[in-house]
């Protein structure tokens, strides 16, 4: 099976390192910048929950600065997009060039709207919904730290492929330790992940703390209230969510499982990168406005993170 990972941030690098262990996969990892260059020249080191080294003989590391390798075009059975929010349309255009005629794409990026952008570019019949709660960060170029075990959800979208089309990928994710799960309602799965991110990311980023600190009662209550605002918007959009008590339990479990992780928004702020606030809390505020629902906590978090961007 041929698999391509587009975008080599923390999550893309983690999936690359774990999938590289599966001998039945030919893996292409398309990165950029100093981390991408480091991987292409010297390979990728995995530390944390599991340790290992991926040599550039085992995996084809390509660089966006150079372009897609011509030999890879039209050969990929699955393409996994893992870039930041504003990269999705570009990465989807690369996926279109890489996929075989009956290949499939999935996007693990945080936030709302990615799957729809992939569907626009590739057609609904080729796109799965997908989410990941694995925690990862990059201590230095060429290294990824697996900071917390989570799960990977692959799900069905309206008009999209089903479980049998996802099964070969679910099987290799299982072998790689990525704890995959199939969801028959991919839209709800993406929302459930977004509800976690709107609750965790801006608060951990503003407080400058690892995820586990949000289990402190004062921070937990702020995070959970932010989550509930998002849940009201989702329910207004007729998304089927579990009870508030179950959402609270899921928030607690993800904070426990990723307690030593620096969430992606904290990493982005510390590294001077644009955050994903526009596809997380800001998307909740905008959808809330359309539905006539006030989301003051999300609005305040957007204002504060946006003010930090401007500094
Ligand atoms: O998705 C994440 C992120 O950091 O963006 C979580 C699951 C919250 C892990 O930190």
């Amino acid at each position: 099976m041929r698999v391509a990972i587009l975008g080599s941030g923390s999550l893309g690098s983690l999936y690359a390192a774990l999938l590289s262990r599966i001998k039945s996969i030919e893996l292409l990892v398309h990165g950029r910048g100093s981390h991408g260059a480091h991987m292409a020249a010297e390979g990728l080191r995995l530390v944390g929950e599991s340790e290992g080294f991926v040599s550039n003989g085992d995996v084809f590391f390509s660089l966006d600065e150079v372009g897609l390798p011509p030999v890879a075009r039209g050969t990929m059975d699955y393409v996994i997009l893992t870039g930041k929010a504003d990269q999705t349309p570009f990465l989807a255009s690369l996926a279109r060039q890489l996929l075989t005629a009956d290949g499939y794409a999935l996007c693990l990026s945080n936030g709302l709207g990615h799957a729809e952008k992939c569907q626009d570019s590739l057609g609904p019949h080729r796109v799965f919904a997908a989410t990941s709660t694995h925690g990862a960060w990059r201590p230095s170029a060429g290294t990824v730290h697996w900071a917390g075990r989570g799960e990977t959800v692959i799900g069905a979208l309206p008009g999209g492929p089903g479980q049998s089309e996802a099964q070969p990928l679910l099987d290799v994710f299982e072998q790689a330790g990525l704890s995959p799960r199939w969801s028959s309602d991919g839209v709800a799965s993406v929302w459930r992940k977004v509800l976690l991110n709107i609750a965790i990311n801006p608060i951990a980023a503003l407080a400058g703390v690892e995820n586990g600190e949000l289990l402190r009662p004062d921070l937990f209550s702020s995070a959970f209230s932010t989550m509930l605002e998002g849940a009201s918007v989702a329910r207004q959009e007729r998304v089927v969510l579990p009870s508030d008590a179950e959402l609270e339990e899921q928030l607690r479990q993800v904070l426990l499982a990723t307690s030593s992780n620096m969430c992606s928004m904290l990493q982005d702020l510390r590294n001077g990168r644009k955050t994903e606030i526009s596809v997380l809390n800001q998307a909740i505020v905008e959808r809330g406005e359309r539905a006539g629902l006030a989301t003051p906590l999300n609005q305040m978090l957007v204002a504060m993170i946006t003010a930090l961007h401007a500094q």
Side-chain angles (χ1 to χ4, degrees):
M1 183 198 301
R2 292 205 172 104
V3 178
I5 297 179
L6 303 182
S8 60
S10 310
L11 205 63
S13 303
L14 174 65
Y15 277 66
L18 294 175
L19 287 174
S20 73
R21 295 174 173 172
I22 311 302
K23 295 294 162 235
S24 58
I25 299 181
E26 281 180 49
L27 193 60
L28 168 75
V29 179
H30 191 67
R32 66 176 188 184
S34 58
H35 181 62
H38 204 287
M39 290 193 299
E42 295 181 33
L44 169 67
R45 184 164 299 285
L46 173 69
V47 296
E49 293 280 331
S50 171
E51 316 247 314
F53 179 73
V54 186
S55 98
N56 55 12
D58 297 334
V59 166
F60 193 153
F61 290 107
S62 57
L63 282 176
D64 206 42
E65 290 81 349
V66 180
L68 287 179
V71 287
R73 284 172 202 264
T75 66
M76 296 294 153
D77 300 301
Y78 293 96
V79 173
I80 306 170
L81 285 71
T82 66
K84 288 287 176 196
D86 52 0
Q87 293 177 307
T88 303
F90 171 66
L91 296 182
S93 73
L94 298 186
R96 204 171 51 224
Q97 297 173 55
L98 287 171
L99 284 169
T100 60
D102 50 6
Y104 301 101
L106 47 144
C107 180
L108 288 172
S109 308
N110 285 335
L112 292 168
H114 299 293
E116 292 75 2
K117 284 180 188 143
C118 289
Q119 287 180 321
D120 287 348
S121 177
L122 298 162
H125 60 293
R126 309 180 81 183
V127 180
F128 293 107
T131 65
S132 170
T133 48
H134 289 282
W137 58 286
R138 278 181 295 147
S140 58
T143 302
V144 63
H145 184 116
W146 189 7
R149 288 175 193 264
E151 63 169 6
T152 312
V153 179
I154 303 181
L157 291 167
Q163 184 169 2
S164 56
E165 286 84 8
Q167 201 56 51
L169 195 63
L170 290 163
D171 291 344
V172 290
F173 276 16
E174 186 66 48
Q175 291 165 43
L178 285 160
S179 308
R181 183 166 63 79
W182 172 254
S183 160
S184 55
D185 186 349
V187 174
S189 300
V190 169
W191 265 99
R192 285 178 71 161
K193 175 70 198 312
V194 165
L195 295 181
L196 291 167
N197 286 123
I198 63 166
I200 300 173
N201 295 25
I203 297 176
L206 288 164
V209 296
E210 292 176 354
N211 291 356
E213 290 292 307
L214 266 53
L215 288 162
R216 279 180 8 206
D218 49 349
L219 289 177
F220 188 83
S221 137
S222 307
F224 182 51
S225 304
T226 307
M227 187 186 211
L228 285 184
E229 277 189 8
S232 312
V233 174
R235 291 186 177 120
Q236 189 73 21
E237 293 195 10
R238 302 196 185 287
V239 177
V240 182
L241 292 178
S243 68
D244 290 354
E246 280 172 75
L247 291 176
E248 180 178 4
E249 186 50 27
Q250 202 196 356
L251 176 59
R252 205 178 295 281
Q253 289 310 324
V254 170
L255 289 173
L256 277 171
T258 62
S259 60
S260 65
N261 193 39
M262 270 189 288
C263 75
S264 53
M265 199 171 284
L266 178 54
Q267 295 174 50
D268 288 342
L269 283 179
R270 290 210 168 144
N271 291 301
R273 292 190 296 256
K274 206 174 155 211
T275 71
E276 296 173 320
I277 198 79
S278 67
V279 287
L280 294 173
N281 306 69
Q282 195 175 323
I284 297 296
V285 174
E286 288 165 5
R287 285 167 184 252
E289 276 169 7
R290 263 180 258 145
L293 283 175
T295 52
L297 295 175
N298 281 275
Q299 201 158 16
M300 186 183 64
L301 291 169
V302 172
M304 293 172 85
I305 295 289
T306 311
L308 283 177
H309 277 173
Q311 277 175 3

